[in-house]
Amino acid sequence: MESKPRILKVGITGGIGSGKTTVCNIFETLNVPVYYADERAKWLMSNDPELIQGIKELFGDAAYDPDGHLNRNHISGIVFHDPEKLEQLNALVHPAVAKDGSAWNQAQSGVPYTLREAALIYEAGIDKHLDYVIVVTAPVETRIQRVMNRDGVPREAVEARIARQMPEAEKVQLADFVIVNDGEQALVPQVLAIHRRLQEESFKN
Ligand code: ATP
């Protein structure tokens, strides 16, 4: 069987509201395939029979509405007060996303690299399985305002989520590439520069 050329695996992360999805949308215009891991995790929780079974065992049948939709309020109400349950939930979801992401990667061809977008890459140790990681940054106040506007949530809710993530400065230290999305520096030239570098890197493989 003829082996396929190796496609580089590139992660893209950043704090809440930094603009990961916005940046990925630009990469998509360059025909770069993007795996949106957080979105996909939500989808799998409502569509992967094995995962659904595991979630029901952990949280009871009330974890799903009668029409089969995930009851997020039921689950978040429990994990908010019970860190062990949160860990058990992650232990179910992470392998399901890893399996799904790996199948998605296998299905790609004819591209120099793929992107995997996720809020938690360093926190979850996923960087070990990636060739490069791009970190998107923005000033914290800008991020808070963006998420408040986008989701219609209060400042405190955004601040609480920021407090649970790895500080941006630490991510920047670990990053292979940084994209500054402060609303002043243009995104497209930054994306193009990284795209060219990654194309070059893939030719060396
Ligand atoms: P999350 O971690 O919550 O998924 P994210 O990092 O993916 O967030 P986006 O959803 O891309 O961030 O951006 C957050 C919000 O800020 C969106 O409403 C987006 O349209 C807006 N936004 C992102 N970048 C910019 C920018 N440079 N100028 C103006 N608005 C922006």
Side-chain angles (χ1 to χ4, degrees):
M1 204 175 79
E2 208 177 296
S3 67
K4 288 203 289 182
R6 200 170 84 85
I7 299 171
L8 295 177
K9 290 182 195 156
V10 182
I12 181 158
T13 191
I16 177 171
S18 57
K20 297 177 290 297
T21 307
T22 306
V23 169
C24 284
N25 291 341
I26 302 174
F27 275 101
E28 283 195 275
T29 68
L30 301 168
N31 292 326
V32 177
V34 182
Y35 183 81
Y36 293 93
D38 301 334
E39 281 300 311
R40 194 65 187 164
K42 284 184 199 154
W43 187 87
L44 288 168
M45 286 169 83
S46 293
N47 292 278
D48 176 338
E50 215 178 300
L51 183 56
I52 291 171
Q53 185 56 35
I55 291 172
K56 281 186 180 166
E57 280 166 21
L58 200 54
F59 296 99
D61 286 344
Y64 290 87
D65 294 339
D67 57 5
H69 288 126
L70 185 71
N71 185 342
R72 284 184 197 287
N73 288 341
H74 174 75
I75 293 179
S76 54
I78 295 173
V79 297
F80 190 76
H81 300 286
D82 189 343
E84 206 177 305
K85 279 267 191 229
L86 177 60
E87 230 169 81
Q88 289 171 325
L89 175 63
N90 284 336
L92 289 175
V93 176
H94 287 166
V97 178
K99 193 169 149 197
D100 182 71
S102 161
W104 179 87
N105 265 319
Q106 287 292 321
Q108 307 304 319
S109 62
V111 290
Y113 67 98
T114 60
L115 278 182
R116 177 196 176 93
E117 189 235 44
L120 308 180
I121 281 189
Y122 292 119
E123 291 91 335
I126 291 164
D127 53 309
K128 289 197 289 284
H129 307 290
L130 298 167
D131 296 293
Y132 298 99
V133 178
I134 302 168
V135 170
V136 182
T137 70
V140 71
E141 186 53 35
T142 308
R143 290 164 52 199
I144 293 170
Q145 291 299 332
R146 282 179 185 160
V147 178
M148 286 170 66
N149 289 339
R150 186 192 60 189
D151 300 344
V153 290
R155 163 178 287 272
E156 296 71 36
V158 187
E159 285 177 342
R161 287 176 65 185
I162 289 175
R164 286 199 294 270
Q165 298 185 333
M166 180 189 280
E168 191 174 77
E170 269 178 57
K171 286 182 190 154
V172 167
Q173 285 284 319
L174 295 167
D176 298 295
F177 301 98
V178 176
I179 292 180
V180 179
N181 182 25
D182 56 5
E184 302 205 351
Q185 300 188 54
L187 285 176
V188 172
Q190 297 184 72
V191 168
L192 280 176
I194 294 172
H195 181 64
R196 286 195 195 105
R197 275 282 312 279
L198 290 171
Q199 280 180 314
E200 282 164 19
E201 290 304 319
S202 87
F203 282 126
K204 291 184 196 161
N205 269 265

